[in-house]
Amino acid sequence: MAAERRRRRRPHPIWTVLAATVVVAAHLALGAVVIVPAVAETLRPSPVGGVPDAAPTAPVAIEGAAASVGNAGLVDREWAESMSSRSGIPVRALLGYAGAEIAVRAENPQCGIGWTTLAALGRIESSHGRHDGAAIDDDGVTRPGVWGPDLDGDGNALIADSDGGAIDGTAEIDRAVGPLQFIPETWASWGADGDGDGRADPQQIDDAALAAARYLCHYGDLTQPEPWRTAIFAYNHLDVYVDDVAAQADRYAAAARR
């Protein structure tokens, strides 16, 4: 099942949607939406480039506390506040990214995903949940929410409603949701509970960051260039997008080392 790639260009500053014979992804740049892995295997990014620079790992505040306090509670708060000041990432978003790194480090140590990769995606996807006047509140929920346009085939992909509006708030058609921009069908497969409240909410940064981390880890050891680039390429089938995520992650890694 081969998808048709658009010519290489920088994504549209708000929304670009990639279409295929069978639609597999939507892109907001501010964001992208992950595609079904079986289809992702048929496309490969350019081999040019490598994995972003490694940043210091997020320091753990409380070992083994994810079930009671959520992933954000795993992160050293003093580090998060200092890192936020140096990087420009809002503290609550950073807690989500770093908490997902710590959680996945424990459950899948072979993956090696870093918070800088998740933060780079969050920056490009939705400006860390701040797209169109939204913001991530103290509870990690993006309010009033980040929503993509209806994927109705009018200048974008056509994705029929798959959730009856339960995830994306509309029963007419599908659209991407949340700070890391998942389409409902993908969220149904990869949605996660990162804040320990017993539900998976794509508008909640801990949930969304954990889901994104697990999805990316599906592609293997993310400390190595080929699987890292393949994983990011699955978020958006453009080599320039992969390069942009790498560059943004490098900027965050540089800030972490200051």
Side-chain angles (χ1 to χ4, degrees):
M1 188 184 301
E4 179 184 350
R5 291 178 56 191
R6 293 187 178 217
R7 61 185 178 84
R8 181 183 174 95
R9 63 182 177 83
R10 183 173 298 275
H12 188 278
I14 298 179
W15 270 89
T16 301
V17 177
L18 301 175
T21 304
V22 174
V23 175
V24 294
H27 168 67
L28 168 83
L30 315 187
V33 182
V34 293
I35 67 174
V36 264
V39 180
E41 302 298 339
T42 68
L43 295 174
R44 295 293 178 193
S46 165
V48 178
V51 70
D53 293 339
T57 57
V60 177
I62 306 171
E63 292 284 358
S68 59
V69 299
N71 291 343
L74 298 175
V75 185
D76 183 273
R77 182 77 186 205
E78 184 176 345
W79 170 87
E81 290 175 353
S82 174
M83 189 65 238
S84 173
S85 177
R86 284 176 280 159
S87 66
I89 304 170
V91 171
R92 191 60 187 86
L94 183 57
L95 289 170
Y97 307 138
E101 178 200 295
I102 292 169
V104 173
R105 188 194 309 161
E107 70 183 32
N108 184 5
Q110 292 77 30
C111 171
I113 191 166
W115 65 267
T116 53
T117 290
L118 297 171
L121 288 172
R123 174 64 183 87
I124 292 170
E125 297 294 331
S126 68
S127 189
H128 306 302
R130 296 175 294 191
H131 176 60
D132 201 24
I136 298 175
D137 286 345
D138 289 344
D139 61 0
V141 177
T142 308
R143 294 185 176 92
V146 177
W147 310 94
D150 292 346
L151 299 175
D152 55 10
D154 183 10
N156 54 35
L158 174 62
I159 304 182
D161 177 67
S162 64
D163 67 324
I167 295 172
D168 63 4
T170 174
E172 301 299 320
I173 201 78
D174 268 359
R175 58 180 177 173
V177 180
L180 286 166
Q181 287 295 284
F182 283 89
I183 55 173
E185 188 173 7
T186 305
W187 187 255
S189 297
W190 290 93
D193 176 16
D195 64 349
D197 69 350
R199 58 189 294 266
D201 178 3
Q203 298 281 10
Q204 208 281 340
I205 188 61
D206 305 322
D207 294 358
L210 181 60
R214 287 174 173 170
Y215 175 81
L216 295 172
C217 286
H218 169 80
Y219 292 91
D221 180 358
L222 300 185
T223 67
Q224 300 302 310
E226 183 176 355
W228 186 90
R229 292 184 65 83
T230 299
I232 302 304
F233 192 75
Y235 237 78
N236 177 17
H237 295 336
L238 290 170
D239 285 329
V240 69
Y241 180 83
V242 179
D243 294 338
D244 285 349
V245 173
Q248 185 64 61
D250 281 344
R251 286 190 283 272
Y252 289 145
R257 291 192 294 270
R258 287 202 295 265

